Amino acid sequence: MKTRIVTVLAGLAVSLLPAQSASGRPSPLETVKPIALPNVEDMAVLPGGRWLIASSMSSDDIKPGLYAVETATARFEQLYPDNGATSPAASSLRPSSTARSACPAELASGEFSGHGISYRPTSARGGELYVVNHGGRESIEIFDVELPRAVGVAPKLRWKDCILAPAGTVGNAVAWTHDGRIYATVTPVVNGMPQTGDIRYWTASSGWTSLPGSAVEVPTGIAIAPDGRKIYVSSFPTRKVIELTPGKIPARREVAVTFGADNLSVAKDGAILVGGLDGKPADIMRSCPGSDSPTCRFTGYVARINPASLTVSCTLSLGPTVTTTATQVGKLLWFGSSRAPRIWRAPVAALKNCPGSFDVGAGRAGDE
């Protein structure tokens, strides 16, 4: 039953250069070829934008893993696990002396099953990667990330620690703030049934605390405003994005989107990007057991939200992409899915021109 619940919540949850116009320059509204990396539920762009880390979720035909993707070439390589096993370098690394998470140990070989991710820089040389995990335990796994010094060399990833999830809950997305808090969207499960969820934050001194005013039906994505003053959370079944302003008297605003809202991210101009799809959770679970299932053809969407007015300035239909995340990478939008065989891409300019729909190539064969 637990696996079934996680699957439902998760569902809610070549030429590799830009297409060229006749002039030889990338056309702002031409399709960019997809990347054949499957089940990318979430992505985290690393400082400098040369690399991102992708979280590939498990399905009947795909094993979960964390991948480094070189954004200029779309080349990717698996960082964790190493060939399905725990690497000796990761196993020998002890948690930092400042961590007080009560994490028992690194996951055993084959247990890791990642979901939402977030990267936190700690120095010019690297930082920490937070990964929501469902395998072996409900937790946030913490990895040290070492940024590459040479062009073409992938970042290095080593397991460091974990934070056990609040008892009886299933996590989805994770984020952080400069004051040391780690935030997560969680849904309590009682007798096999999801209950009203919320945002929880964790500190080394106090453990988990519920964020006042954050109750949400099946919370999925989370994003933090660049100044840390506002928190955004999405709800798949209610098709809403909620803005929270923490304080003694928390403020809350909501905006509706036209699809099931999943992961959130912050664009370079400060806008909130919402990735999601149009489909009922039961239909998604029934139709998408594998990333390349022919029945898994739900229409994906991206919406742009103006944070000042909390209004939707553009919504794009992306075709049968089963989108769960939308992230800006340079001048491109990258779209991932927990149940699709590729990462789809489109120019950021599409959100400004807003044609209503954009062909990312999901309906055509042979796009790998």
Side-chain angles (χ1 to χ4, degrees):
M1 179 60 73
K2 179 179 177 181
T3 300
R4 182 180 179 86
I5 292 166
V6 170
T7 302
V8 171
L9 297 175
L12 301 176
V14 200
S15 171
L16 300 174
L17 297 176
Q20 300 291 308
S21 65
S23 67
R25 298 178 181 177
S27 175
L29 289 182
E30 286 185 349
T31 300
V32 182
K33 290 203 172 182
I35 302 168
L37 180 58
N39 289 8
V40 175
E41 202 277 342
D42 202 4
M43 292 175 273
V45 182
L46 299 182
R50 290 195 295 122
W51 292 89
L52 66 76
I53 296 179
S55 174
S56 176
M57 288 192 71
S58 64
S59 62
D60 287 356
D61 57 338
I62 300 295
K63 292 183 179 181
L66 299 173
Y67 290 80
V69 185
E70 189 174 33
T71 59
T73 66
R75 177 179 65 87
F76 59 85
E77 59 183 80
Q78 186 169 337
L79 299 179
Y80 187 90
D82 181 12
N83 295 323
T86 299
S87 67
S91 298
S92 63
L93 186 67
R94 295 185 177 182
S96 66
S97 59
T98 59
R100 294 189 292 274
S101 63
C103 181
E106 184 174 10
L107 291 162
S109 176
E111 286 188 328
F112 175 77
S113 184
H115 197 156
I117 63 176
S118 182
Y119 174 79
R120 174 178 176 263
T122 57
S123 73
R125 297 184 59 184
E128 293 179 336
L129 184 73
Y130 306 122
V131 183
V132 174
N133 168 67
H134 303 301
R137 59 192 174 214
E138 287 293 326
S139 60
I140 295 174
E141 302 295 314
I142 304 175
F143 297 84
D144 275 326
V145 179
E146 182 181 342
L147 300 177
R149 298 183 180 183
V151 175
V153 177
K156 296 179 181 180
L157 196 68
R158 294 188 299 173
W159 184 87
K160 177 178 184 178
D161 200 358
C162 82
I163 302 169
L164 300 179
T169 68
V170 173
N172 191 309
V174 61
W176 56 273
T177 50
H178 290 286
D179 60 5
R181 293 182 177 184
I182 298 174
Y183 289 81
T185 53
V186 300
T187 298
V189 178
V190 178
N191 296 324
M193 296 299 295
Q195 308 297 304
T196 299
D198 62 357
I199 296 176
R200 311 279 177 97
Y201 64 86
W202 182 91
T203 64
S205 59
S206 302
W208 288 105
T209 302
S210 291
L211 184 68
S214 67
V216 177
E217 182 180 353
V218 189
T220 43
I222 187 172
I224 310 292
D227 62 6
R229 296 181 180 179
K230 297 184 185 298
I231 300 172
Y232 298 89
V233 60
S234 54
S235 169
F236 188 94
T238 65
R239 301 188 170 205
K240 290 181 179 180
V241 174
I242 299 95
E243 178 195 79
L244 301 166
T245 305
K248 292 183 178 180
I249 304 178
R252 175 168 172 151
R253 296 193 297 172
E254 299 180 355
V255 61
V257 294
T258 59
F259 52 89
D262 204 324
N263 284 330
L264 306 176
S265 66
V266 181
K268 288 187 176 182
D269 63 0
I272 305 302
L273 301 182
V274 189
L277 63 152
D278 191 10
K280 297 179 180 179
D283 292 339
I284 295 168
M285 187 178 74
R286 183 167 50 248
S287 303
C288 299
S291 66
D292 58 357
S293 171
T295 61
C296 192
R297 305 281 289 175
F298 295 91
T299 301
Y301 293 85
V302 59
R304 181 188 184 276
I305 294 177
N306 183 326
S309 61
L310 203 70
T311 56
V312 177
S313 62
C314 178
T315 299
L316 291 178
S317 170
L318 304 171
T321 57
V322 204
T323 302
T324 58
T325 191
T327 301
Q328 182 174 356
V329 183
K331 295 183 179 180
L332 295 177
L333 298 171
W334 290 37
F335 308 109
S337 169
S338 60
R339 290 294 182 273
R342 303 171 184 87
I343 296 173
W344 315 100
R345 299 187 291 173
V348 172
L351 285 176
K352 294 183 179 180
N353 296 332
C354 202
S357 62
F358 190 89
D359 180 10
V360 296
R364 300 192 298 271
D367 283 316
E368 291 94 338

